[in-house]
Amino acid sequence: MTNSESITDSVLDIEKIRKDFPILQTKVYGKPLIYLDNAATTQKPQAVLDALHNYYTQYNSNVHRGVHFLSQQATEAYEVARRKVAGYINARHEHEIIFTKGTTSSINLVAASFGKKFLKAGDEVLISAMEHHSNIVPWQLICEEKGAILKVIPINERGELKMERFDELLTDKVKIVAVTYVSNSLGTVNPVHEIIQKAHAVNIPVLIDGAQAIQHIPIDIQELDADFLTFSGHKLYGPTGVGILYGKEKWLNEMPPYEGGGDMIKNVTFAKTTYNELPFKFEAGTPNISGGIALGAAIDYIQHIGIPAIQQAEEEVVAYAYDRLAALPSLRFIGDAKHRSGAISFLVGDIHPFDLGEILDKQSIAVRTGHHCTQPVMDFFHIPGTVRASFAFYNTKAEVDALMDGIEKAKRMLE
Ligand SMILES: Cc1ncc(COP(=O)(O)O)c(C=O)c1O
């Protein structure tokens, strides 16, 4: 009997759910794929693949500009998808949902546009030490341009934010706080409600990078009250190349356009151009139409299963993985926060993470190794990188057992 068989399985019928994901039926090196790289990107259910296929085979056409039948159909489907995204996070207005290429472009949009209007020399932008590079570099670019200063909330050895330092750093020089909800390299779930409440108490807006939260934790944006929320379609079982910026209407109205071009204008003359209303003001050019529509299909799929059930199933499999990994004497967790979600980072003895990753790969187990686009986190722990196993609701305890067998095998080979 494997360890997993002794434990009650999930709230979900995972074997049935796995059949919805064609790639999970495939083999790597002749063995069934064990996909534990969900923080990098999630696999896509058939419903999402069908949405992409249907768009290109039945109504491929550009949106917002055509009177013809196909264009109207595409526009309708694209705008329905926007409505689905708005519903998924309970946004007050559909026009607060801006389609982008992904989290990275959403954050770049806010940094450039908000920064252009609201940052000046000596102002501060407050981020955290566990941010993904995409929530660091865009702020560095605008700070450099404006002579503003990037300040960083430090973390402790468990990979948790030092909230007492946050309180001290939250001065009237800060013009925006930008933090991740869930760390992609440490798995830490940050106290974003507290951060938002404290920042709002002194009238400072907050951007939440939701890239690693949106697929694991129910988000009601009106209740959370973040001023901006960013996420990527591909981490939410949707396609690559599409993502979301949620922004409160009042900020989006005050911010200048980011990119110029078609769709974002009301009227163009060489003397003066006026800009379109929200959300189109921030959506220059032909968007990723099929991507947006398929993201809507992903949201339908997830809502059909239910995010609370997904969260519960994932918590079970992550807790199981954590316990089994913790029982390995030479294993060291990188990030051991009290509140965690999705990803577990670790090192085993003196084994280099790349070597462990390669040996696992040969056993058809896909994990990620390296710095996970969080080099400052690696510097903090004085390590070159980690092995990261990251989970979705379609992962099983049997897959965790296979991971453990794989690690044991690597230990035998390398230690
Ligand atoms: C926390 C976090 N922020 C931002 C990103 C960037 O997302 P994307 O590459 O989809 O733009 C990622 C991707 O791994 C992430 O995990």
Side-chain angles (χ1 to χ4, degrees):
M1 185 170 81
T2 63
N3 294 20
S4 62
E5 281 165 347
S6 61
I7 292 167
T8 18
D9 238 318
S10 171
V11 281
L12 299 174
D13 184 348
I14 296 194
E15 285 315 318
K16 182 164 173 276
I17 280 171
R18 286 176 69 86
K19 296 201 174 83
D20 296 337
F21 293 79
I23 209 168
L24 297 181
Q25 322 310 318
T26 62
K27 293 188 170 171
V28 173
Y29 307 122
K31 295 174 220 141
L33 167 68
I34 295 178
Y35 187 76
L36 301 177
D37 193 19
N38 295 286
T41 199
T42 51
Q43 299 303 348
K44 320 304 171 199
Q46 187 63 48
V48 167
L49 307 176
D50 288 345
L52 290 169
H53 182 80
N54 292 345
Y55 167 73
Y56 283 114
T57 53
Q58 293 171 22
Y59 59 103
N60 172 47
S61 187
N62 213 333
V63 287
H64 300 145
R65 286 165 235 170
V67 289
H68 66 80
F69 181 77
L70 289 193
S71 176
Q72 284 183 23
Q73 230 186 333
T75 302
E76 170 68 9
Y78 193 63
E79 292 306 320
V80 165
R82 191 191 307 275
R83 210 167 299 146
K84 288 177 185 171
V85 176
Y88 185 62
I89 61 168
N90 192 29
R92 186 168 284 123
H93 306 292
E94 271 167 47
H95 58 252
E96 293 177 316
I97 303 298
I98 313 291
F99 278 115
T100 65
K101 285 189 290 178
T103 309
T104 304
S105 44
S106 299
I107 299 174
N108 273 280
L109 189 165
V110 178
S113 171
F114 180 96
K116 187 173 180 182
K117 175 95 186 247
F118 295 107
L119 283 183
K120 56 180 187 338
D123 285 345
E124 292 176 1
V125 171
L126 186 55
I127 62 169
S128 92
M130 67 172 82
E131 297 310 314
H132 188 281
H133 296 163
S134 64
N135 201 24
I136 302 174
V137 186
W139 299 110
Q140 286 175 322
L141 289 170
I142 191 71
C143 282
E144 210 169 294
E145 195 182 314
K146 291 288 188 160
I149 302 152
L150 190 67
K151 290 282 178 105
V152 181
I153 312 160
I155 54 175
N156 63 23
E157 286 294 325
R158 297 185 67 161
E160 297 164 326
L161 292 180
K162 288 189 172 173
M163 287 302 285
E164 69 286 0
R165 292 287 296 128
F166 170 67
D167 294 343
E168 291 161 13
L169 286 162
L170 197 66
T171 67
D172 59 6
K173 287 196 174 143
V174 176
K175 292 294 170 289
I176 187 163
V177 176
V179 290
T180 193
Y181 199 145
V182 176
S183 157
N184 66 307
S185 55
L186 302 168
T188 313
V189 178
N190 285 322
V192 288
H193 287 85
E194 183 185 343
I195 289 171
I196 292 165
Q197 271 166 19
K198 285 182 168 168
H200 283 179
V202 284
N203 294 321
I204 299 170
V206 180
L207 177 146
I208 297 296
D209 174 354
Q212 298 294 344
I214 196 73
Q215 65 284 56
H216 301 303
I217 301 172
I219 295 181
D220 178 329
I221 196 65
Q222 294 188 55
E223 182 265 326
L224 183 62
D225 204 25
D227 299 271
F228 302 99
L229 175 74
T230 58
F231 55 93
S232 301
H234 71 98
K235 294 185 198 284
L236 186 60
Y237 310 97
T240 52
V242 66
I244 298 297
L245 166 64
Y246 158 85
K248 277 187 187 163
E249 183 183 42
K250 100 179 158 99
W251 289 116
L252 295 177
N253 273 331
E254 282 191 57
M255 283 159 49
Y258 175 49
E259 290 181 313
D263 247 21
M264 55 74 72
I265 53 90
K266 199 168 258 166
N267 192 45
V268 177
T269 69
F270 289 118
K272 171 107 189 112
T273 289
T274 52
Y275 306 124
N276 208 339
E277 64 233 23
L278 294 175
F280 311 111
K281 174 177 144 186
F282 290 106
E283 294 183 350
T286 299
N288 181 349
I289 304 165
S290 62
I293 293 168
L295 175 57
I299 287 174
D300 284 343
Y301 180 83
I302 293 162
Q303 286 186 320
H304 180 68
I305 296 173
I307 268 277
I310 286 176
Q311 188 179 24
Q312 202 181 330
E314 288 176 344
E315 277 173 5
E316 269 179 43
V317 81
V318 170
Y320 179 71
Y322 182 89
D323 287 348
R324 287 225 55 198
L325 288 164
L328 258 182
S330 55
L331 186 136
R332 171 186 167 205
F333 290 112
I334 305 300
D336 200 6
K338 214 158 120 207
H339 300 292
R340 61 159 57 248
S341 173
I344 303 179
S345 262
F346 58 90
L347 291 172
V348 179
D350 291 330
I351 302 175
H352 195 284
F354 291 164
D355 293 338
L356 181 51
E358 267 186 37
I359 291 174
L360 291 174
D361 171 59
K362 294 296 175 296
Q363 295 165 80
S364 74
I365 301 168
V367 293
R368 189 143 294 243
T369 59
H371 55 63
H372 318 295
C373 295
T374 56
Q375 280 182 355
V377 171
M378 303 302 130
D379 292 345
F380 175 80
F381 287 102
H382 307 291
I383 52 173
T386 75
V387 177
R388 181 186 71 185
S390 56
F391 299 87
F393 59 94
Y394 45 61
N395 287 125
T396 64
K397 290 171 185 167
E399 288 181 311
V400 174
D401 292 338
L403 171 69
M404 298 311 299
D405 292 346
I407 295 172
E408 291 290 359
K409 184 169 179 185
K411 271 165 61 83
R412 285 195 299 276
M413 287 168 73
L414 297 171
E415 275 188 347

